[in-house]
Amino acid sequence: MGRTRVSLDGEWQFLMDPKDEYAGALPEVSRFESRIRVPGSWEEQGFGEAPRLKQIDTWTKVREYVGPAWYRTEIVVEEHLGDGVERLVLAGVRWTSDVWVNGVYASRETSLSTEHVHDLTGLLVQGRNELLVRIDNRMRLPLEESHIHTRHTATHWGGITGGAVWESLPPTRIQKVRITADLAERAFRCRVEVAGEASRLAACSLTARFRAPNGEAFEVTSDCWGKETLLACPVGEKPYLWSDAAPHLYEAEFMIACDGAELDRVQRRTGFREIKALGQQLALNEQPVFLRGYVDCCIFPLTGYPVWDKAHYERQFRIARSYGFNHVRLHSWNAPRPFWEAADEAGMLVQTELPHWSAVYQPRGTAPHPDVDAFLQEELIRIYDRLNEHPSFVLFSMGNELIEDNGHERLNELVRLARERDPSRLVTDNTGFGQLPEQDREGDFYIHSFNWHKPLKTEEIAMPATNRDFSAVARLTEKPVLGHEHAQFSMYVRPQEKVKYSGVLQPTWLETTEQTLRAKGMEDRVGEFIEASGIHQVRSLKEALERVRRTPGAAGFQLLDIRDFPGQGHATTGILDVFWDSKGIAEPDGFLGFNGATALLMACESRTLFGGETLEARLSVSHYGDASELAGRVCWKLSAQDGDLLEEGVFPVSGIERGSVDEIGRVSVRVPESGARKLVLEAWLQETENGNDPTEIRNEWSFWTFERLKPDTGFPSVWSSASFIKQAIYGAQLEANAKFDPFTYPAERGVRLAIVERLTTNVLQYLVNGGRVWLLAGESEIYDFVLTKYLPVFWNYLMFSEQAGGTMGTIIHGHPAIGDFPHDGKSDWHWYELFNGSPAISLDTAPGIDPIIEPIDNFNRAKRLAYAFEANVGEGQLLVTSLAFRDVDDLKKPAAAYLFRQLLNYARSGDFQPKGTLTLGQVLSLFKLRGIHSFL
């Protein structure tokens, strides 16, 4: 008799037990008044109570129940079971399951990572049998932050969400199979554990059969060696290799037979692949591979638990691959079986982890919580045993951010244990924390932040100078390094997504944001903010990813995230929403240009140039594609935004080996002397020199040129107390604040514009009586401001409220004050030096004033901000900027010098006619008033 599987999915009797009434005695049948379906969660089927509080930093369940609950059903045994093994397999359970058969206790299981398998052997009788299952979803160990069940991700779900199966196994059976691909010998090596009477096993044989993708079968048979037998099955001279580019799979069968009769058979599906660390590179099947990854944080917005639907995972991998990603990290959780089946088919390279994010291994030398430590070791063994067949399982970590600088010896022991269980996977002590050099920390590879691992800084992860990389971290070890939770750039919230929440979760974090926007009258601006912040996010992300590709020694990155993250303040860091739908800010074709297996890169010192200077850029290629050597040509052209071609060229490409980042040529073009314009450098790789093949690999980068402004002595009508103005405005009247006479200077000295760094009474007198004032407002002069950085909010404001910045890009409004300064209305790299470190002025107390240059505040705070605005004050006109026009050095930069002149021309022109008005009191509520003699 072989194996049988009987599905127990369907309706069960159900009883919630919030007071633990049945901890000492089983509930009577009459108490089971409810019905529930398996598979499914309690909350999905109406069980639980509405929460008392709505969460402002994550989603909130419609209902929830935390505690024990009982399931009851009957199973019928038609005939005598014999001497085999009976098992109940429960899938999708957290945290504890206990089972009774006919009132007799069977067993307890506690895994958060694999199915719960209960041994029912000897407890079932012929005829009807009562099966009782107690599920308890309370937190049994201090592992609250593990993403399998934190309130920010998969929630405190309860139920049997993956189904229930009754299995009958024969007395002589295959107990466990471990498969390893041996590339050198072109064979699958199999370790097969069997169970049964020793005398019976001695007469048995084992057969392993592998069927290749083309249908060809390979088979090997051996006598049983006892409880464990080693088999080596050659699979031909040219095995079908499994890789991210070509995920070929073999169907495997293992049979045990005696006297010609088959006693047991198990099936597996696996891949022929090998993953190694070779120096600082990862090698898949002896070929370098670069991990272009994202973090999966166990986010299921409809169910609140990991689904057991293969189609769900097939869709997400199809989308991820379309954007160029070949790797996913499971953040402190292990995914259900359908995930792994889909990952195998899609060629995803997966890192799974223990369900662990805590400080039990801190500091070094401390004795960890014994129950937690024992549970984690058991989980490691269960995960390795369960996932052995899946070629997509390539990396393993003990959990998220577990250690202080120097690690922990117990984690080193767990690393060694993992290697012993299965050396065909690479393992590390934790994801994200610790310092490099690694000292005695065990690991085949390391995952460290390119965002903030010293000496790097979060606010400098992407910059306009594209000749930077992350070597400062990668060079600290001789092993592969992956970028931990890379980038984390946020964009504006999208209220339109809330209609998608049709399940057990509601986006309550959105309610407070919508209330704020309504109160400030900003609801109709959300579409603008989404568009501008989304463009800014992608532009920043492009450079952050290319910077990793330029880094010698970087083995890949793990982007946080390809999707938004619902919790920890709600992090809108994804190019997709939590439902895996596009936000419309980045589509696959464009994203592949910098996130494909092979990508063209550009290195330059600056994106902005003076007219007549020479644009110098180095083009290189990061090659991890199919070809062992890249050959062909790279074509390039430099064009103005209006389409005018400045120059073009071709670089031959040959001998670029897979796994290398090689320079292929230098672009050197003298840019036009006059005007200001955006230039676009495009490059594309043709893998044949005749150019007949379609172009598949393309990238582009923006530059800006600004005419050198000649000294102009025609500004005697300008008066200023700012000393650096003499370098910018020849002929202007420069003197201390105290000397400015608002009554006589306009008539006697012809002053038509006063440029000041602070407000004084005499300047205000001049302003309200019809004068024009340009206030260069620094942070010391502004009452309510946000000190900004160019890059978007890191993660989100609620979790990192004290971070530098706090804004999400900028809208540059069409306004004559900007003149012909080139822009597309959104943040781009030529604004970097003007915005980065500048204070944004809050206009919350000036509702009638519209910004000219408008930073977008984070949606939690939603201040109305400005880098530049104008207003009528009394009979005069006021122009205010807080951009980086603060010293002589600022005005030596091409973009700053040109924009300064545009603003100056505007402030002196007849176009300077503000629409909004501020009272003197409103001005004084925005800016500090200084005494006339305070700044002589």
Side-chain angles (χ1 to χ4, degrees):
M1 178 181 177
R3 297 177 176 232
T4 62
R5 289 172 56 87
V6 178
S7 172
L8 301 180
D9 291 352
E11 189 177 84
W12 291 51
Q13 294 173 285
F14 185 66
L15 171 64
M16 297 169 68
D17 187 12
K19 297 181 180 179
D20 259 340
E21 294 180 53
Y22 308 105
L26 299 180
E28 298 177 358
V29 176
S30 61
R31 301 304 303 270
F32 286 87
E33 298 178 352
S34 299
R35 298 291 185 270
I36 195 168
R37 285 196 61 80
V38 174
S41 74
W42 303 335
E43 298 89 342
E44 286 176 301
Q45 301 182 67
F47 296 101
E49 301 294 331
R52 293 184 303 105
L53 304 173
K54 292 183 178 181
Q55 300 182 115
I56 67 169
D57 60 343
T58 187
W59 45 28
T60 303
K61 277 192 167 179
V62 174
R63 66 190 69 85
E64 188 169 63
Y65 171 67
V66 176
W70 295 80
Y71 290 71
R72 182 184 182 278
T73 194
E74 292 184 349
I75 57 178
V76 178
V77 177
E78 300 288 353
E79 57 188 40
H80 181 64
L81 292 172
D83 299 326
V85 171
E86 307 299 320
R87 304 194 309 188
L88 175 66
V89 181
L90 303 176
V93 173
R94 74 162 288 272
W95 186 330
T96 303
S97 65
D98 294 276
V99 174
W100 290 258
V101 178
N102 300 321
V104 178
Y105 185 68
S107 60
R108 165 172 287 191
E109 293 293 333
T110 60
S111 179
L112 291 172
S113 304
T114 63
E115 293 92 335
H116 288 196
V117 180
H118 294 271
D119 189 352
L120 310 185
T121 304
L123 299 179
L124 294 170
V125 299
Q126 190 169 353
R128 289 189 173 276
N129 292 264
E130 180 192 50
L131 187 62
L132 283 181
V133 177
R134 180 180 183 268
I135 304 296
D136 191 341
N137 70 341
R138 288 175 291 192
M139 201 69 64
R140 60 179 295 269
L141 291 171
L143 293 172
E144 293 88 349
E145 294 305 316
S146 304
H147 276 2
I148 187 62
H149 55 205
T150 176
R151 66 185 179 92
H152 300 281
T153 55
T155 76
H156 299 159
W157 53 277
I160 304 173
T161 62
V165 173
W166 165 30
E167 292 185 341
S168 296
L169 310 182
T172 303
R173 62 192 177 275
I174 296 172
Q175 193 86 331
K176 187 181 298 182
V177 175
R178 297 182 189 174
I179 307 169
T180 303
D182 186 334
L183 262 66
E185 298 297 326
R186 295 184 289 281
F188 280 110
R189 297 196 176 277
C190 312
R191 184 182 298 271
V192 183
E193 296 181 20
V194 297
E197 294 182 5
S199 58
R200 177 82 162 156
L201 292 174
C204 291
S205 64
L206 273 173
T207 298
R209 180 183 299 136
F210 290 85
R211 188 173 300 278
N214 67 349
E216 187 176 4
F218 303 88
E219 185 175 302
V220 63
T221 299
S222 170
D223 293 338
C224 280
W225 298 355
K227 296 295 185 181
E228 185 176 89
T229 300
L230 302 179
L231 299 170
C233 183
V235 286
E237 288 299 312
K238 292 185 177 181
Y240 284 85
L241 300 179
W242 184 96
S243 70
D244 56 328
H248 298 299
L249 293 169
Y250 283 78
E251 300 293 336
E253 291 183 302
F254 297 86
M255 292 78 72
I256 185 170
C258 187
D259 298 329
E262 184 179 299
L263 303 179
D264 193 20
R265 174 189 298 251
V266 298
Q267 289 83 34
R268 298 287 187 268
R269 191 177 65 161
T270 193
F272 200 80
R273 70 105 183 97
E274 180 183 76
I275 186 79
K276 289 183 177 179
L278 297 179
Q280 290 189 298
Q281 288 188 321
L282 296 172
L284 182 63
N285 304 328
E286 301 180 340
Q287 299 298 327
V289 63
F290 188 86
L291 299 190
R292 309 177 306 279
Y294 61 93
V295 182
D296 187 320
C297 294
C298 200
I299 297 166
F300 297 87
L302 295 180
T303 61
Y305 64 81
V307 300
W308 290 71
D309 177 11
K310 184 179 176 183
H312 173 90
Y313 298 110
E314 288 174 332
R315 175 177 179 261
Q316 76 178 49
F317 293 144
R318 190 164 56 248
I319 293 169
R321 293 309 305 258
S322 74
Y323 283 89
F325 293 95
N326 66 349
H327 167 54
V328 55
R329 170 206 166 196
L330 301 177
H331 182 307
S332 61
W333 72 295
N334 183 51
R337 186 185 300 265
F339 169 99
W340 292 101
E341 293 172 352
D344 289 346
E345 294 172 7
M348 291 299 290
L349 304 168
V350 184
Q351 172 183 316
T352 194
E353 298 182 353
L354 291 175
H356 185 204
W357 185 7
S358 80
V360 298
Y361 296 110
Q362 298 179 25
R364 181 184 176 96
T366 190
H369 189 297
D371 294 336
V372 170
D373 184 67
F375 170 75
L376 293 174
Q377 178 167 317
E378 293 167 359
E379 285 285 85
L380 185 155
I381 293 170
R382 285 188 284 252
I383 290 171
Y384 265 66
D385 287 348
R386 165 66 191 82
L387 299 183
N388 170 264
E389 69 184 276
H390 295 290
S392 56
F393 171 31
V394 294
L395 305 179
F396 186 74
S397 169
M398 301 304 155
N400 182 68
E401 298 177 353
L402 303 180
I403 58 176
E404 294 184 345
D405 288 354
N406 296 320
H408 196 285
E409 178 52 33
R410 178 57 180 146
L411 290 175
N412 289 345
E413 292 175 3
L414 291 175
V415 169
R416 293 190 287 268
L417 172 63
R419 290 183 184 134
E420 291 168 6
R421 300 294 298 187
D422 188 347
S424 70
R425 273 82 193 191
L426 302 181
V427 61
T428 193
D429 63 343
N430 90 120
T431 301
F433 273 10
Q435 289 288 324
L436 294 176
E438 64 269 24
Q439 300 182 32
D440 68 345
R441 288 171 51 205
E442 287 274 7
D444 301 314
F445 67 102
Y446 296 102
I447 308 170
H448 284 273
S449 177
F450 294 146
N451 296 339
W452 39 256
H453 189 293
K454 292 179 180 178
L456 301 176
K457 299 178 181 179
T458 301
E459 58 268 26
E460 295 178 356
I461 185 176
M463 301 175 71
T466 64
N467 55 2
R468 310 294 197 268
D469 61 29
F470 298 114
S471 295
V473 171
R475 65 189 291 264
L476 298 176
T477 180
E478 295 178 345
K479 295 181 178 180
V481 178
L482 300 176
H484 172 56
E485 297 183 355
H486 196 55
Q488 302 187 47
F489 299 138
S490 289
M491 63 171 284
Y492 217 74
V493 71
R494 301 171 72 243
Q496 61 264 44
E497 293 172 15
K498 65 182 177 181
V499 298
K500 298 182 182 182
Y501 285 86
S502 58
V504 300
L505 293 162
Q506 289 299 306
T508 50
W509 47 264
L510 182 58
E511 294 178 11
T512 54
T513 296
E514 290 186 309
Q515 290 167 2
T516 299
L517 294 171
R518 277 196 299 271
K520 292 194 169 188
M522 297 171 67
E523 283 182 300
D524 61 345
R525 301 289 313 283
V526 171
E528 292 178 75
F529 297 156
I530 290 171
E531 180 186 19
S533 63
I535 289 172
H536 183 47
Q537 179 192 53
V538 174
R539 286 171 174 169
S540 302
L541 187 58
K542 180 178 186 290
E543 170 53 22
L545 297 189
E546 290 182 6
R547 187 171 177 178
V548 185
R549 298 294 290 262
R550 293 193 299 265
T551 303
F557 58 83
Q558 297 172 340
L559 183 69
L560 187 60
D561 184 2
I562 191 175
R563 290 190 294 165
D564 289 347
F565 183 89
Q568 298 180 1
H570 189 66
T572 49
T573 54
I575 57 174
L576 308 173
D577 67 19
V578 294
F579 298 90
W580 288 93
D581 294 330
S582 172
K583 294 182 180 180
I585 62 171
E587 298 306 326
D589 287 349
F591 211 84
L592 276 172
F594 53 90
N595 198 42
T598 296
L600 293 171
L601 306 173
M602 183 275 296
C604 70
E605 179 59 33
S606 177
R607 301 285 195 106
T608 58
L609 300 96
F610 284 115
E613 285 191 313
T614 299
L615 185 156
E616 302 278 0
R618 302 193 310 275
L619 295 181
S620 59
V621 60
S622 169
H623 175 47
Y624 289 86
D626 293 338
S628 58
E629 282 194 5
L630 202 60
R633 62 183 187 178
V634 168
C635 306
W636 64 269
K637 66 177 180 179
L638 182 67
S639 306
Q641 192 172 22
D642 59 11
D644 287 347
L645 177 66
L646 274 68
E647 197 163 328
E648 60 185 342
V650 176
F651 297 127
V653 174
S654 63
I656 295 180
E657 297 181 352
R658 181 163 42 203
S660 65
V661 181
D662 289 341
E663 184 175 320
I664 53 178
R666 299 195 175 205
V667 173
S668 181
V669 181
R670 189 172 185 272
V671 301
E673 294 186 3
S674 61
R677 57 179 56 79
K678 176 182 176 179
L679 306 179
V680 178
L681 175 61
E682 299 175 79
W684 58 98
L685 173 65
Q686 296 176 337
E687 292 191 54
T688 57
E689 293 198 4
N690 57 26
N692 291 330
D693 285 355
T695 298
E696 295 183 353
I697 300 169
R698 177 183 291 269
N699 208 346
E700 65 177 46
W701 306 269
S702 298
F703 294 82
W704 293 263
T705 68
F706 300 92
E707 179 180 347
R708 291 182 185 273
L709 299 175
K710 296 179 174 58
D712 191 335
T713 58
F715 294 104
S717 63
V718 176
W719 178 93
S720 181
S721 59
S723 60
F724 73 89
I725 289 295
K726 62 185 177 183
Q727 298 294 322
I729 309 176
Y730 283 23
Q733 303 177 48
L734 299 171
E735 58 187 355
N737 288 60
K739 294 186 177 181
F740 182 73
D741 186 337
F743 302 105
T744 63
Y745 275 21
E748 295 181 3
R749 298 178 61 171
V751 173
R752 296 292 178 267
L753 174 66
I755 303 177
V756 298
E757 296 175 292
R758 56 194 60 84
L759 291 180
T760 55
T761 305
N762 51 352
V763 170
L764 289 176
Q765 179 71 58
Y766 168 69
L767 173 63
V768 298
N769 281 301
R772 294 183 173 192
V773 174
W774 180 3
L775 174 61
L776 306 173
E779 59 188 276
S780 63
E781 306 305 309
I782 309 168
Y783 279 115
D784 188 1
F785 67 92
V786 173
L787 191 61
T788 67
K789 66 175 186 286
Y790 175 80
L791 293 178
V793 169
F794 176 81
W795 198 230
N796 65 70
Y797 178 73
L798 287 187
M799 189 167 184
F800 294 102
S801 59
E802 297 181 3
Q803 65 178 283
T807 55
M808 297 179 158
T810 303
I811 297 174
I812 298 92
H813 293 280
H815 192 282
I818 306 297
D820 64 357
F821 187 90
H823 68 90
D824 63 359
K826 316 296 188 297
S827 300
D828 215 334
W829 292 110
H830 62 313
W831 292 101
Y832 183 91
E833 292 167 331
L834 287 157
F835 294 167
N836 199 49
S838 293
I841 305 160
S842 173
L843 295 180
D844 283 346
T845 60
I849 303 303
D850 294 326
I852 299 171
I853 302 177
E854 180 180 16
I856 303 168
D857 197 21
N858 66 80
F859 51 81
N860 300 112
R861 188 173 53 194
K863 283 179 171 290
R864 294 180 63 247
L865 299 176
Y867 286 133
F869 71 90
E870 63 180 357
N872 296 302
V873 181
E875 300 297 320
Q877 294 83 42
L878 175 66
L879 175 65
V880 179
T881 63
S882 59
L883 301 164
F885 305 138
R886 286 183 285 274
D887 56 41
V888 173
D889 290 342
D890 289 332
L891 297 184
K892 292 181 178 180
K893 299 168 185 175
Y898 197 86
L899 182 59
F900 185 89
R901 181 64 67 87
Q902 300 305 303
L903 290 165
L904 176 63
N905 290 341
Y906 172 74
R908 296 170 62 243
S909 74
D911 292 332
F912 186 15
Q913 297 181 7
K915 295 180 180 179
T917 298
L918 290 175
T919 66
L920 184 60
Q922 287 177 305
V923 173
L924 294 176
S925 71
L926 292 172
F927 306 104
K928 298 175 183 178
L929 180 65
R930 303 296 188 177
I932 293 177
H933 299 288
S934 298
F935 299 92
L936 298 176

